[in-house]
Amino acid sequence: MIMLPCRLGAPRPGWSRAADVVVIGSGIAGLTAVLHLRRELPAARVLLVTKAHLDAGSTRWAQGGIAAALAAEDSPADHLADTLVAGVGLCDEDAARVLVDEGPARVRELAELGARFDRAADGSFALTREGGHLRNRIIHAGGDATGLEVERALIAAVRADPAIEVIENALVLDLLLDVDGRAAGATLHVLGEGSQDGVGAVTAPSVVLATGGMGQIFASTTNPGVSTGDGVALALRAGAVVADLEFVQFHPTALWLPPASSAGVAAQLDGQQPLVSEAMRGEGAVLVDAAGERVMTGAHPLADLAPRDVVAKQMSRVMAARGVDHLFLDARGLGAETIERRFPSITARCRSVGVDPVTTPIPVAPAAHYASGGVRTDLWGRTTVPGLYACGEVACTGVHGANRLASNSLLEGLVFAARIAAHIAGDTGATRRRDAVPAAPVVGRGSGLTDPAERAELIRAMTDGAGVLRSAHSLRATAKVLAGLGDLRVSGATVTAGPPAWEMTNLRTVATALVAAAATRTETRGSHWREDFAERDDAHWLGRVLTRLGPEGELVLDTEPIRPTIVQAAS
């Protein structure tokens, strides 16, 4: 039986802070939640906690844009249809409908807040298309710097509100629970905050997780170094249900850097590979091998604009067959003017490592990019633990199903963060509980830590056995490695409580849960590819794999059928 710690080994809190709502994470989801909470509850004490600096999350790296039905020839129904197709039968249709119906208003709201999106000559939003979309509906900023501009606007709004308290450089540890099993705050470890230095406790009757993804469990990822699965691990330890962890989307085109190069070494040190946006293929760039032969021709009707899982799998097959570790994205046909105007950030990044996309194909390889699964929520962002909410990449709202449609992620953060704020504001029970948070909340059961010296071994095992291509054999081997990493009797290590050990324990927790879910789903669907079960199996697997921790830390898996979705093709 697989056993995981029910809480992190850590010193007792040496300081405390009380709030009405604590939001953990400062990407698009967390920042939007805070701003909407201030609008809905102007008298509330709202505390924003972030692991590093406000701008250090994944949002700033989003190049492609935000998908929303903003064009006259588009509609939420068309956007819904494309989303359901990409999700390969596993989208929660009600959640996806909320996403596409409320999305346009949230995007316009963001523009009114000050986000400077690119505009057409007539002043309307300049819209483009990405893989899986049958309409031009991707709004972008600065060509390929959408996330950076969105983040700038949201952070400016947060900093302009003196009533919002922000704690930076704070690693969240565990959820605090009251005697009734409700969320009552969280423990944190703060660096460099004077009297708040070290482990402390923030008490609040409502906790919003917006901690982002878990890409750092793989060797190659577009996620920043802070994306170590902290929110999913915390939720599991608190008893929450997580869903669909097996569906990790690998972006086909991360900039490949030779490991021996100075740029490659730097990328390995911070654990993040530069992204070459899918929008480049949307404009006409094509994937080729070293000989210049097209890679996607005949692999899918949409060729280079096929859904990301299709492209990543085809690339992985070609790379394995030819014994190479990368392919190329040829954008030369777009012309210098289009490349430099539309993709200034990508162009600058490529040139900084000696690749000029105007004259040279860009070396690329698949990298872990987005987790479609996460902490299971309902349409209002509620998890299975009362008082605990989740939004953004840490959550599984069900909108993505087995494969996220390009540029739906930023939209999801906007839409469901706003819904969480509305629900908290309308929860009269939460209002009554604000002054009833216990002084010494229950913190959980047995604790444990994993040796951070074995992080490289975890990453290697996950990349080799649970990456783009998986099988029963590879998943068993990976699970065995992960189990061994958690057994200090074998390693003989003495683990000191602190950020490296806490992050490593979170990585092992989410990796173990992901591998178990991937082994359970004996089919290929969306971004989950099983070499030994190569076909989609609606008869047995039209549903979710649910994961939770039992009373003693045992990993418990279950399945839940879902209602089949009916896709109406765009007219």
Side-chain angles (χ1 to χ4, degrees):
M1 180 179 292
I2 302 171
M3 305 291 288
L4 292 167
C6 295
R7 64 183 177 91
L8 293 177
R12 288 189 172 276
W15 56 270
S16 64
R17 181 68 55 84
D20 293 312
V21 186
V22 57
V23 178
I24 304 169
S26 61
I28 190 171
L31 294 169
T32 300
V34 166
L35 292 172
H36 274 263
L37 283 163
R38 289 286 298 133
R39 181 184 308 171
E40 299 274 358
L41 294 167
R45 294 162 291 175
V46 179
L47 178 63
L48 175 61
V49 174
T50 187
K51 188 173 181 179
H53 297 294
L54 276 179
D55 61 355
S58 293
T59 294
R60 67 174 302 171
W61 303 104
Q63 296 174 341
I66 306 174
L70 296 164
E73 64 274 14
D74 198 5
S75 70
D78 287 349
H79 188 182
L80 176 64
D82 289 348
T83 298
L84 297 182
V85 168
V88 203
L90 290 194
C91 294
D92 181 320
E93 188 169 351
D94 292 337
R97 195 176 300 279
V98 165
L99 179 80
V100 301
D101 286 348
E102 299 183 11
R106 297 285 81 80
V107 170
R108 292 188 181 98
E109 183 180 80
L110 192 53
E112 292 168 2
L113 191 67
R116 298 184 290 260
F117 293 111
D118 295 342
R119 303 277 180 165
D122 62 0
S124 63
F125 292 122
L127 301 173
T128 188
R129 189 162 69 102
E130 293 184 359
H133 292 272
L134 299 183
R135 295 279 188 263
N136 285 352
R137 65 169 65 97
I138 312 301
I139 183 173
H140 47 84
D144 60 355
T146 307
L148 192 62
E149 173 58 20
V150 166
E151 180 185 72
R152 181 205 63 77
L154 290 171
I155 288 177
V158 166
R159 285 178 170 158
D161 186 344
I164 299 174
E165 182 179 359
V166 178
I167 299 180
E168 296 181 300
N169 301 307
L171 171 63
V172 65
L173 301 180
D174 277 309
L175 189 70
L176 295 172
L177 300 171
D178 68 16
V179 293
D180 297 318
R182 293 190 54 89
T187 52
L188 315 169
H189 181 264
V190 183
L191 299 173
E193 289 292 325
S195 62
Q196 295 177 18
D197 193 22
V199 175
V202 174
T203 58
S206 298
V207 178
V208 181
L209 290 179
T211 52
M214 53 186 181
Q216 291 296 323
I217 60 176
F218 295 103
S220 181
T221 179
T222 63
N223 290 189
V226 294
S227 297
T228 52
D230 305 327
V232 171
L234 172 149
L236 280 168
R237 291 192 294 269
V241 172
V242 303
D244 295 348
L245 284 185
E246 67 271 31
F247 297 117
V248 176
Q249 188 177 71
F250 282 74
H251 197 290
T253 52
L255 177 62
W256 180 83
L257 300 170
S261 70
S262 58
V265 170
Q268 289 178 345
L269 288 175
D270 66 17
Q272 182 180 18
Q273 303 295 318
L275 178 66
V276 181
S277 172
E278 186 171 28
M280 214 170 218
R281 284 181 284 130
E283 294 288 345
V286 296
L287 287 160
V288 299
D289 61 15
E293 295 294 322
R294 295 276 297 271
V295 169
M296 293 304 301
T297 300
H300 190 275
L302 292 176
D304 292 271
L305 286 177
R308 289 174 175 173
D309 64 300
V310 175
V311 179
K313 290 169 191 170
Q314 176 65 4
M315 290 177 67
S316 296
R317 292 191 197 104
V318 171
M319 289 161 58
R322 299 180 188 176
V324 297
D325 50 12
H326 68 284
L327 296 170
F328 298 89
L329 183 67
D330 192 348
R332 292 175 295 178
L334 279 60
E337 191 277 332
T338 297
I339 291 174
E340 293 177 347
R341 171 184 55 80
R342 181 70 177 83
F343 305 106
S345 301
I346 295 172
T347 300
R349 186 68 180 91
C350 288
R351 286 173 174 167
S352 73
V353 295
V355 177
D356 187 347
V358 173
T359 60
T360 308
I362 305 167
V364 292
H369 184 55
Y370 189 86
S372 293
V375 186
R376 189 183 186 192
T377 67
D378 66 7
L379 297 181
W380 295 98
R382 292 178 294 186
T383 74
T384 56
V385 174
L388 177 65
Y389 298 79
C391 55
E393 191 173 356
V394 70
C396 180
T397 62
V399 301
H400 304 306
N403 192 39
R404 176 181 68 99
L405 181 65
S407 291
N408 267 357
S409 53
L410 292 181
L411 188 71
E412 181 192 28
L414 287 171
V415 168
F416 287 92
R419 290 178 71 85
I420 286 173
H423 187 273
I424 292 174
D427 184 357
T428 56
T431 302
R432 289 194 300 270
R433 287 189 299 272
R434 283 177 192 152
D435 295 324
V437 177
V442 178
V443 296
R445 301 169 293 275
S447 64
L449 293 173
T450 304
D451 185 3
E454 309 222 72
R455 183 164 172 170
E457 179 65 10
L458 179 147
I459 291 170
R460 183 202 61 75
M462 288 298 295
T463 301
D464 291 347
V468 177
L469 303 177
R470 303 164 177 172
S471 68
H473 174 74
S474 73
L475 292 167
R476 278 196 302 269
T478 303
K480 183 177 180 180
V481 171
L482 295 174
L485 296 181
D487 192 346
L488 299 182
R489 294 171 300 178
V490 174
S491 67
T494 299
V495 181
T496 302
W502 293 325
E503 282 194 334
M504 177 61 186
T505 305
N506 288 338
L507 287 167
R508 177 176 172 259
T509 296
V510 296
T512 301
L514 186 157
V515 168
T520 299
R521 184 176 289 278
T522 52
E523 66 159 354
T524 286
R525 185 185 296 269
S527 54
H528 170 65
W529 176 262
R530 286 287 297 263
E531 294 178 280
D532 47 351
F533 294 94
E535 301 299 325
R536 166 178 167 177
D537 183 1
D538 285 350
H540 300 96
W541 288 109
L542 196 59
R544 310 197 183 289
V545 175
L546 307 179
T547 311
R548 61 183 176 84
L549 288 188
E552 302 303 321
E554 67 272 23
L555 198 61
V556 179
L557 284 89
D558 198 2
T559 58
E560 178 184 77
I562 65 169
R563 183 180 79 244
T565 56
I566 300 175
V567 180
Q568 300 290 338
S571 58

